[in-house]
Amino acid sequence: MRRDVDINHPNFGKAFACVCIADELAERRLSSVRRASNIAALDKLVFDTFNAEAPGNSPDQLRNLQAALHAARKFADAPEGWLVLHGSYGCGKTHLAAAIVNERLRQGASALFVVVPDLLDHLRAAFSPDSDETYDERFEAVRSAPLLVLDDLGTQAPTAWAAEKLFQILNHRYNMQLPTVITSNVSLDLFDPRLRSRLEHFDVVRVFEIQAIDYRGGVAHTEGGAISSLRHYADMSFQTWDDRRGELQPDVSGNLARGFTIARQFAAEPEGWLVFLGDHGSGKTHLAAAIANQRVADGGEAVFVVVPDLLDHLRATFSPTSRVGYDKVFDEVRSAPLLVLDDLGTESATPWAQEKLFQVLNHRHAARLPTVITSAAELADIHPRLRTRMLDRRRCVVFELMAPPFAGPVELGRAGGRGRGPGKGGARVKGKGRSGGSGAGGTRSR
């Protein structure tokens, strides 16, 4: 039919489908794309066939798989917002994404599953003279699908055309609040900034980090792999902690006791970030290592690494003789179930070093991965991009250990901590000491 519009209207003379068959035409276009996506070949990828007890995984990884399965089932029952499944090769991302689509189709709803490189090929093919559909028809079918799964985002050829098409699709779905599932093994930090800003919108997007090993024959990590130096800190446990009673003034000794309690609580249920500030030798590293050692003793995984050593590890991967790739080392750190970064602020402040640390911490912040950081630096001296993540009071507890260095003589008439008087644990800003909260809760950063 043609619309009754003024001759100068852009729709004058154009033919439009009658509203009575508009839904039928939309479903027909969607079916065409669905056939091209070959979802029929993935019909066995359903929730009942997902193995959340895959052998070779640690207890923490198995719990993570169970949580991923629960999140996918919940999304399939009530698609809302975006779900990003992120993880390494073979961890189960595609299975869960396909299971969401198969469940929606079983319920009689409409859904579309496409592998991103295949999608772009499908759109390019519409320009062929032999195509039975126009480019606009195919593009609209994908852009406006009631539920869209984009599998393997980030594996497409990095052309300007591909980036533009993906942005148009995702931007439209973001603005129209259309349910979308994305799988990727590429760091979100490496995406086009326009896409990344949408993928990091916490009110719309849930990023779920799948930590399982490759079910096709991957090898389980042990104690954080080769990069972790936790074995050198095996003697730093909660059992060997010295609260230095009788050596320090009661206020300072009580501060150490509160730090100890906070660390034990975090080790029992790692969630969010925990930042320990304080002078060298105040006990930060002992508590951080004790957390990691406790997680390993409980059957979990932890990576403990001193920040300058981490950067050296990353640089070493560029050597022609290196037997491990940069991506493997980098992903081992940024995706660790529990990461301890010791001595942040002692690294060389080069742009490259700052960028690598930001990528690690930004990813863990977005993916909500448990992280412990120690630093002898003032918060004000830490790079602003890192500091803003550490000061996110929704996810991070910042606690200052006020004790003076453990080694050397200590005068009972003075409290340690950069020349300041006795105080309680809390967040610091350069030149200021802020009082901590009462009890074992510490102080949430402001």
Side-chain angles (χ1 to χ4, degrees):
M1 70 175 190
R2 299 182 189 279
R3 294 177 179 172
D4 184 15
V5 294
D6 186 83
I7 191 172
N8 295 318
H9 194 279
N11 289 334
F12 178 79
K14 291 185 179 180
F16 292 88
C18 176
V19 292
C20 60
I21 63 168
D23 291 343
E24 177 185 342
L25 292 175
E27 181 59 30
R28 190 183 305 167
R29 288 194 295 268
L30 196 60
S31 296
S32 173
V33 181
R34 192 179 294 129
R35 286 193 300 273
S37 73
N38 202 27
I39 185 61
L42 305 178
D43 61 349
K44 291 183 173 56
L45 299 184
V46 296
F47 292 126
D48 289 343
T49 61
F50 184 78
N51 185 7
E53 301 293 334
N57 287 288
S58 69
D60 274 353
Q61 289 170 319
L62 293 177
R63 284 190 288 270
N64 172 261
L65 275 181
Q66 290 282 0
L69 175 59
H70 175 74
R73 282 186 181 275
K74 184 177 179 181
F75 190 91
D77 290 338
E80 185 176 350
W82 288 15
L83 175 63
V84 177
L85 300 173
H86 189 273
S88 60
Y89 301 102
C91 67
K93 307 182 301 295
T94 296
H95 190 138
L96 289 176
I100 291 172
V101 170
N102 285 323
E103 178 62 20
R104 294 301 295 169
L105 295 177
R106 187 190 68 79
Q107 295 173 7
S110 189
L112 178 61
F113 177 102
V114 288
V115 181
V116 172
D118 294 344
L119 164 63
L120 296 170
D121 285 346
H122 186 63
L123 292 177
R124 291 186 189 98
F127 294 114
S128 169
D130 301 328
S131 175
D132 56 358
E133 291 178 299
T134 66
Y135 168 83
D136 289 341
E137 289 174 331
R138 289 189 179 180
F139 186 77
E140 184 61 26
V142 175
R143 190 178 73 146
S144 301
L147 169 63
L148 175 65
V149 172
L150 291 176
D151 189 40
D152 267 351
L153 182 65
T155 59
Q156 70 278 359
T159 66
W161 181 86
E164 188 62 29
K165 296 305 110 179
L166 289 172
F167 174 74
Q168 288 174 346
I169 289 171
L170 289 174
N171 187 57
H172 173 80
R173 299 188 68 80
Y174 178 85
N175 291 333
M176 300 302 293
Q177 301 182 23
L178 294 172
T180 306
V181 178
I182 296 169
T183 78
S184 182
N185 55 41
V186 177
S187 170
L188 299 186
D189 302 322
L190 301 179
F191 284 135
D192 183 305
R194 297 179 301 173
L195 293 183
R196 188 171 69 239
S197 68
R198 286 149 180 82
L199 295 174
E200 292 178 347
H201 187 171
F202 303 127
D203 293 336
V204 176
V205 183
R206 180 185 181 187
V207 179
F208 196 101
E209 188 76 28
I210 302 180
Q211 300 160 1
I213 64 173
D214 187 345
Y215 71 90
R216 303 181 183 96
V219 178
H221 299 292
T222 57
E223 204 182 88
I227 195 173
S228 180
S229 56
L230 184 58
R231 60 192 176 277
H232 300 311
Y233 299 84
D235 61 329
M236 293 187 178
S237 65
F238 292 122
Q239 290 72 32
T240 61
W241 171 254
D242 183 359
D243 61 12
R244 303 168 70 179
R245 290 185 185 276
E247 176 191 342
L248 304 173
Q249 284 191 342
D251 281 350
V252 182
S253 182
N255 165 261
L256 282 184
R258 284 193 297 276
F260 177 82
T261 301
I262 290 171
R264 291 208 73 157
Q265 291 174 340
F266 188 91
E269 296 183 23
E271 185 176 348
W273 289 16
L274 176 59
V275 177
F276 282 123
L277 302 176
D279 284 326
H280 296 290
S282 62
K284 312 182 301 297
T285 296
H286 190 129
L287 290 178
I291 292 171
N293 282 318
Q294 187 63 53
R295 291 306 298 164
V296 172
D298 291 342
E301 288 188 272
V303 169
F304 182 103
V305 62
V306 182
V307 173
D309 293 346
L310 165 63
L311 296 170
D312 285 345
H313 274 291
L314 292 175
R315 293 186 188 99
T317 62
F318 295 114
S319 169
T321 60
S322 176
R323 301 177 65 180
V324 61
Y326 168 85
D327 290 341
K328 180 177 176 58
V329 174
F330 188 74
D331 193 62
E332 181 180 323
V333 174
R334 73 184 182 93
S335 300
L338 170 65
L339 175 65
V340 177
L341 288 177
D342 191 39
D343 264 352
L344 180 69
T346 58
E347 69 280 354
S348 299
T350 66
W352 182 86
Q354 294 296 333
E355 186 63 28
K356 296 306 110 181
L357 289 173
F358 174 74
Q359 288 175 350
V360 169
L361 291 178
N362 188 58
H363 172 80
R364 297 187 68 81
H365 183 270
R368 309 189 182 202
L369 293 173
T371 306
V372 179
I373 299 170
T374 77
S375 181
E378 300 280 357
L379 279 178
D381 292 336
I382 294 175
H383 193 283
R385 291 201 298 175
L386 303 182
R387 187 171 66 240
T388 55
R389 270 74 182 164
M390 295 165 65
L391 291 177
D392 183 350
R393 63 193 311 180
R394 299 167 301 171
R395 303 184 190 174
C396 185
V397 171
V398 179
F399 191 88
E400 180 180 8
L401 297 173
M402 302 298 294
F406 183 76
V410 179
E411 298 179 26
L412 292 180
R414 296 173 57 194
R418 303 177 188 275
R420 290 188 292 267
K424 300 181 184 294
R428 289 183 298 178
V429 178
K430 189 172 183 179
K432 299 181 181 179
R434 193 180 320 190
S435 297
S438 61
T443 298
R444 286 198 175 272
S445 57
R446 299 179 183 276

